[in-house]
C-alpha cells in the first residue's frame, strides 16, 4: 500500500521520538454526520460516514511497562506507567496534558484486568483530520490507538468494543460527555456508504449512499470557529434533553414520537420544548433519509438535510451565523442539500454537491463569508471511506 503524507509523518515521528521501526501502522478516519445531530446521547438514530481524512498511529510493544505517546501536533512526548494509567481519570486528570488523555484514556479503558503481563506500548500519532472542526479528530485518534492496542495487546475485541473504549476515554479521561456515534462511524465506515446507527441497541447497518454513481460529492465548509465539547453549550443541551425526558416520563427522548410533541409543549417551558422537538423530529428525519436512500438514492435527501439545519438553528440553537451563511449560500449555488454537522457552536457545515458545481459552491461561500466580514472558510471535499484498519 502506498502511504500518504500523514502516514509517513507518523512513521517519521516514531523514528524521531521512539526510534527505529514501529511494529505496525494503524489508522482511523474522521467522520461527517450526514444527518442525526444530538440524537446519539438521546438513544436515537444517526447516519454518519467515515471520511478520507485519517489519524495514523505508528506503534510497537516495549519491554518497559509504560505507555509513551507522541503527536506531530504536540511538542511533548507523554509517558505514563501502566500501573498509573488511572492518572487520566477524573480526580487526577491534571497530571496528564489534555491531548494525551485521548490515547491514554483508550489504553486505560482497554487494560482489561490490569493483566500483569501486558507489555508497554510506544505510539507516534499524525493526522490529516482537522482538529476541533466537527470532523471528530477525537474519535479518529481514539480509534486509531484502540485498533493498535487491540493487536499489540492481543485483545481480539470486536469493533463495537473498541468504539466503546474510545467513548469511555472521551467521557471519563477527557470529561467530554459525548455519545458513541463518532467512534462507531470511525470503526464501521465503508467506501461510498454511511453507517446507520441505533444508539440504544448499538445495532448498525451500512447504507449505500450511491454518491459515486450519481456524481455527487460532499463539500466540507470549515468555518474555522473552534469549539470545545468539554465545556459550555454542548453540556447544557445534553442536560436540557435529560430534563425533557424526565418531565415526559421516558428513559430517553428516543422514546418520544412526533405525536408526543403536543403533550411536550404543555409540560415543558418554551426552550426545553424546542430542544425536545429538535431531537424528536431529527430522529424522524434520519429514518426518512435512510428510507429515501434505499428507495430513490441520494438525489432526494436534500430537503431533509435543510430541515435538519433549520431545526438546529431555530429549535436547538447551536448554529452560528457563519454556519447559516454556509448552508444558505451552498444551496443557492447548486448544492442539493446542506447542514451544519457536529456538535455546533462552530465547526463545519456539509453540502452535498453535484461534482461539476463544487467550484461554484466553494467560490460562492467564500465570497459570502468575505461580504459578511467572516474569516475565510476552508472548503474541501471528502469521500465516504473505510473505517479503522491496519495500514502496514
Ligand atoms: P473534534 O473531535 O471535532 O476534532 P474535539 O474537541 O472533540 O474536536 O477533539 C479535539 C482534541 O482531540 C484536540 O484538542 C486534541 O486534544 C485531541 N486530538 C485530536 N487529534 C489529535 C492529534 N492528532 N494529536 C494530538 N491530539 C489530538
Ligand atoms: Mg470530538
Amino acid at each position: 500500500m502506498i502511504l500518504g503524507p500523514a502516514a509517513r509523518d507518523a512513521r517519521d515521528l516514531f523514528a524521531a521520538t521512539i526510534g527505529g521501526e514501529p511494529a505496525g501502522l494503524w489508522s482511523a478516519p474522521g467522520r461527517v454526520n450526514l444527518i442525526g445531530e444530538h440524537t446519539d446521547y438521546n438513544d436515537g438514530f444517526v447516519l454518519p460516514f467515515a471520511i478520507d481524512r485519517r489519524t495514523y498511529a505508528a506503534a510497537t510493544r516495549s519491554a518497559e511497562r509504560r505507555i509513551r505517546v507522541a503527536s506531530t501536533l504536540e511538542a511533548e512526548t507523554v509517558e505514563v506507567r501502566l500501573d498509573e494509567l488511572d492518572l487520566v481519570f477524573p480526580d487526577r486528570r491534571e497530571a496528564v496534558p489534555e491531548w494525551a488523555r485521548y490515547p491514554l484514556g483508550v489504553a486505560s479503558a482497554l487494560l482489561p484486568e490490569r493483566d500483569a503481563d501486558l507489555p508497554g506500548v510506544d505510539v507516534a500519532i499524525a493526522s490529516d483530520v482537522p482538529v476541533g472542526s466537527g470532523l471528530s479528530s477525537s474519535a479518529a485518534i481514539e480509534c486509531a490507538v484502540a485498533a493498535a492496542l487491540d493487536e499489540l495487546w492481543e485483545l481480539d475485541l470486536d469493533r463495537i468494543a473498541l468504539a466503546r473504549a474510545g467513548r469511555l476515554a472521551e467521557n471519563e479521561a477527557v470529561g467530554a460527555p459525548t455519545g458513541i456515534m463518532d467512534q462507531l462511524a470511525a470503526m464501521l465506515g465503508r467506501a461510498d456508504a454511511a453507517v446507520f446507527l441505533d444508539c440504544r441497541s448499538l445495532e448498525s447497518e451500512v447504507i449505500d449512499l450511491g454518491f459515486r454513481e450519481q456524481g455527487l460529492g460532499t463539500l466540507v465548509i470549515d468555518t474555522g470557529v473552534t469549539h470545545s465539547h468539554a465545556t459550555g453549550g454542548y453540556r447544557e443541551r445534553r442536560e436540557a434533553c435529560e430534563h425533557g425526558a424526565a418531565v415526559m416520563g421516558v428513559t430517553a427522548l428516543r422514546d418520544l414520537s412526533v405525536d408526543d410533541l403536543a403533550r411536550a409543549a404543555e409540560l415543558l417551558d418554551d426552550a426545553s420544548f424546542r430542544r425536545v422537538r429538535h431531537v424528536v423530529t431529527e430522529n424522524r428525519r434520519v429514518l426518512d433519509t435512510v428510507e429515501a436512500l434505499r428507495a430513490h438514492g441520494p438525489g432526494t435527501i436534500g430537503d431533509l438535510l435543510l430541515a435538519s439545519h433549520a431545526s438546529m438553528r431555530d429549535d436547538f440553537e447551536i448554529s452560528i451565523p457563519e454556519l447559516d451563511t454556509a448552508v444558505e449560500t451552498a444551496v443557492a449555488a447548486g448544492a442539493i442539500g446542506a447542514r451544519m454537522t457536529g456538535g455546533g457552536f462552530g465547526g463545519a457545515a456539509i453540502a452535498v454537491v453535484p461534482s461539476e458545481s463544487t467550484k461554484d459552491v466553494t467560490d460562492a461561500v467564500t465570497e459570502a463569508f468575505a461580504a459578511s466580514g467572516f474569516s475565510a472558510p476552508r472548503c474541501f471535499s471528502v469521500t465516504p471511506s473505510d473505517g479503522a484498519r491496519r495500514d502496514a
Side-chain angles (χ1 to χ4, degrees), residues 31 102 132 134-139 142 170 178 182-183 227 229:
R31 62 98 187 93
Y102 294 83
L135 300 180
S136 205
S137 68
S138 57
E142 289 153 11
E170 190 136 350
T178 52
D182 298 351
Q183 293 82 5
H227 63 90
H229 281 178

Side-chain angles (χ1 to χ4, degrees), residues 35 46-47 196 205 207 285-295 301 304:
I35 194 161
V46 291
L47 191 64
F196 173 39
E205 198 182 335
I207 306 286
R285 284 186 287 271
V286 176
L287 299 175
D288 290 347
T289 303
V290 170
E291 248 177 70
L293 285 167
R294 283 195 181 119
I301 65 172
L304 291 160

Side-chain angles (χ1 to χ4, degrees), residues 7 17 36 59 77 89 127 135 160 167 203 211 213 256 260 268 338 348-349:
T17 55
T77 300
F89 283 107
S127 180
L135 300 180
I160 292 179
R167 179 200 181 163
E203 276 172 54
F211 282 6
E213 198 188 310
L256 299 179
D260 294 310
L268 293 164

Side-chain angles (χ1 to χ4, degrees), residues 65-354:
R65 294 187 38 79
R66 49 143 173 72
I67 303 200
R68 239 185 331 173
V69 287
S71 164
T72 51
L73 299 181
E74 304 289 334
E76 192 192 350
T77 300
V78 178
E79 193 175 314
V80 172
R81 295 209 333 249
L82 286 182
D83 59 11
E84 279 189 344
L85 265 182
D86 54 356
L87 279 180
V88 296
F89 283 107
D91 40 331
R92 305 178 66 191
R93 252 188 225 141
E94 336 48 69
V96 173
E98 181 172 66
W99 76 270
R101 291 182 222 136
Y102 294 83
L104 294 174
V106 170
S108 180
L110 288 176
L111 256 191
E113 282 122 27
R114 315 237 157 195
D115 183 331
D117 294 331
L118 276 182
V121 176
D122 293 323
V123 192
I125 293 158
S127 180
D128 58 19
V129 185
V131 169
S133 294
L135 300 180
S136 205
S137 68
S138 57
I141 188 174
E142 289 153 11
C143 291
V145 169
L149 290 177
D150 184 52
E151 278 195 55
L152 294 172
W153 280 349
E154 295 170 347
L155 303 174
D156 211 15
L157 294 170
D158 64 34
R159 286 178 168 252
I160 292 179
L162 295 177
R164 280 203 170 106
R167 179 200 181 163
L168 199 67
E170 190 136 350
N171 292 170
E172 298 295 324
V174 179
T178 52
I180 197 170
M181 167 178 73
D182 298 351
Q183 293 82 5
L184 284 172
M187 278 292 165
L188 300 171
R190 290 278 168 75
D192 204 25
V195 184
F196 173 39
L197 294 172
D198 178 334
C199 297
R200 172 167 280 168
S201 65
L202 298 191
E203 276 172 54
S204 65
E205 198 182 335
V206 174
I207 306 286
D208 280 337
L209 286 168
F211 282 6
R212 231 168 6 209
E213 198 188 310
Q214 296 292 319
L216 291 169
T218 308
L219 189 68
V220 174
I221 302 159
D222 184 358
T223 63
V225 180
T226 54
H227 63 90
S228 166
H229 281 178
T231 53
Y234 185 96
R235 187 184 295 274
E236 271 169 38
R237 294 303 181 280
R238 223 182 138 122
E239 284 164 5
C241 291
E242 279 163 22
H243 170 68
V247 170
M248 292 298 286
V250 291
T251 309
L253 293 182
R254 148 73 175 275
D255 299 307
L256 299 179
S257 76
V258 175
D259 296 338
D260 294 310
L261 288 176
R263 191 166 62 91
E266 279 166 25
L267 295 178
L268 293 164
D269 64 274
D270 177 59
S272 303
F273 168 66
R274 287 183 294 114
R275 308 295 185 251
V276 168
R277 182 166 62 185
H278 165 69
V279 174
V280 171
T281 57
E282 186 77 352
N283 273 326
R284 186 67 252 164
R285 284 186 287 271
V286 176
L287 299 175
D288 290 347
T289 303
V290 170
E291 248 177 70
L293 285 167
R294 283 195 181 119
H296 315 287
T300 55
I301 65 172
D303 288 345
L304 291 160
L305 302 185
L306 287 170
S308 171
H309 185 78
S311 177
M312 287 187 281
R313 181 190 61 209
D314 303 335
D315 275 356
F316 221 56
E317 295 182 283
I318 55 172
S319 189
I320 58 171
E322 285 86 341
L323 290 167
D324 296 338
T325 299
V327 167
E328 285 154 26
T329 312
V331 171
I336 69 163
R339 58 184 281 280
M340 54 154 284
T341 186
F345 308 105
I350 53 164
V352 178
V353 182

